[in-house]
Amino acid sequence: MTLPVRVFPTPDALAPTVAREIAARLRQLVERRREAVFVPSSGRTPEPVYRALRDDHANSLDWNRVHILQMDEYADPDLAEARTFRAFLQRQLLRPLKVGRFTGLRTAGERADAIRVAERIDLVLHGIGCNGHIGFNEPGAPCGDVLDSVMLTPQTMRSNFGNRMEDHPRPIGYTLGLETLRKAGHSVLMATGAHKRAAVGRLLGGATIDLCPAAILRDAPSAEVVLDRAAAGQAYRASAAA
Ligand code: GLP
């Protein structure tokens, strides 16, 4: 399928809309069913959306009935807890919104639970790596199992931890696999900033999954892309001209 794309002027301009839509989807799900399973990116891109969820939607739904499943995590056991994706999600969403349930990926027990929860994902909010990765599914990775143990590329490590190699944990991670992410009820992929323009160009330009893992979302049951102008580049000019 062709992924629907919306382009906003800036990250701050898109955040209220995306936050409102996420809150509305989760609210509908928790009203219809016992819980909603939400997989939010642990990247920096959605931080303005998480701020808008905290500021404007803490009371828009019963967050106690939301179950957050972690998308990816570092596997280095020596990584300081504060630098884990789990800690990021705790700061951004779990504690401030009083989210009812959380399944992480740090321990073997959590990972066993994650494999079960991953079969019923309602909503995923993705970022995208500069090399087109989603979760920690790097280019060339197999579509894989529900949960994969993976090697992270130097580019991903630099992007997440900076250029000083001595600050990096071991480049290993856990990630929900591409096929599992594809099957989610609805997927939103967010990209902001000129450094994401090449990855967005590959995604929207028809690159294969091997080259751009995010391309698997073209075969998702329901998916959309939300960009700022800087990330959209050519794609924005093309859609503006159409
Ligand atoms: C990181 C994470 C992904 C995230 C992506 C973009 O490595 N593993 O889950 O979506 O890369 O991150 P950021 O938004 O910080 O650029």
Side-chain angles (χ1 to χ4, degrees):
M1 93 173 169
T2 307
L3 287 164
V5 180
R6 278 178 293 168
V7 181
F8 293 77
T10 62
D12 284 341
L14 67 76
T17 303
V18 175
R20 190 178 63 247
E21 291 170 357
I22 286 173
R25 255 178 211 281
L26 293 175
R27 183 175 57 243
Q28 275 177 9
L29 287 159
V30 299
E31 283 173 3
R32 258 201 343 255
R33 304 203 321 247
R34 214 168 51 81
E35 68 166 13
V37 177
F38 177 35
V39 179
S41 164
S42 299
R44 289 148 292 187
T45 306
E47 285 187 45
V49 173
Y50 297 160
R51 193 178 316 121
L53 286 173
R54 294 193 301 269
D55 291 350
D56 304 332
H57 298 285
N59 300 313
S60 299
L61 65 137
D62 184 357
W63 286 96
N64 189 42
R65 292 170 70 178
V66 173
H67 187 158
I68 284 189
L69 169 64
Q70 207 173 339
M71 185 177 337
D72 48 13
E73 182 57 279
Y74 299 103
D76 184 342
D78 298 327
L79 180 67
E81 177 65 23
R83 298 174 80 193
T84 62
F85 283 163
R86 173 216 293 268
F88 173 87
L89 291 175
Q90 278 168 343
R91 288 190 297 270
Q92 294 282 332
L93 297 173
L94 295 164
R95 280 198 219 107
L97 291 170
K98 302 189 178 61
V99 171
R101 292 192 67 190
F102 173 65
T103 302
L105 302 178
R106 281 292 273 179
T107 68
E110 282 180 304
R111 293 194 291 278
D113 285 346
I115 288 171
R116 285 188 287 273
V117 179
E119 294 299 332
R120 49 190 168 85
I121 298 170
D122 294 302
L123 175 63
V124 184
L125 179 61
H126 285 284
I128 183 170
C130 293
N131 60 5
H133 75 241
I134 53 172
F136 269 151
N137 296 282
E138 301 277 31
C143 280
D145 296 326
V146 176
L147 185 65
D148 280 330
S149 162
V150 290
M151 287 296 296
L152 305 174
T153 62
Q155 184 183 18
T156 295
M157 294 304 287
R158 277 196 301 275
S159 156
N160 291 1
F161 290 98
N163 287 330
R164 281 165 48 94
M165 294 288 286
E166 54 272 37
D167 290 343
H168 293 187
R170 276 171 269 171
I172 45 178
Y174 296 108
T175 185
L176 299 181
L178 283 179
E179 178 57 16
T180 298
L181 291 167
R182 183 193 70 78
K183 287 191 303 195
H186 184 68
S187 301
V188 180
L189 185 141
M190 267 184 76
T192 57
H195 62 302
K196 296 293 172 73
R197 193 177 295 168
V200 168
R202 285 196 290 279
L203 169 64
L204 300 181
T208 59
I209 295 163
D210 251 10
L211 284 176
C212 178
I216 197 147
L217 298 179
R218 293 201 295 260
D219 294 323
S222 172
E224 59 181 314
V225 174
V226 184
L227 307 171
D228 73 350
R229 269 187 202 143
Q234 288 295 336
Y236 172 65
R237 280 190 283 279
S239 68

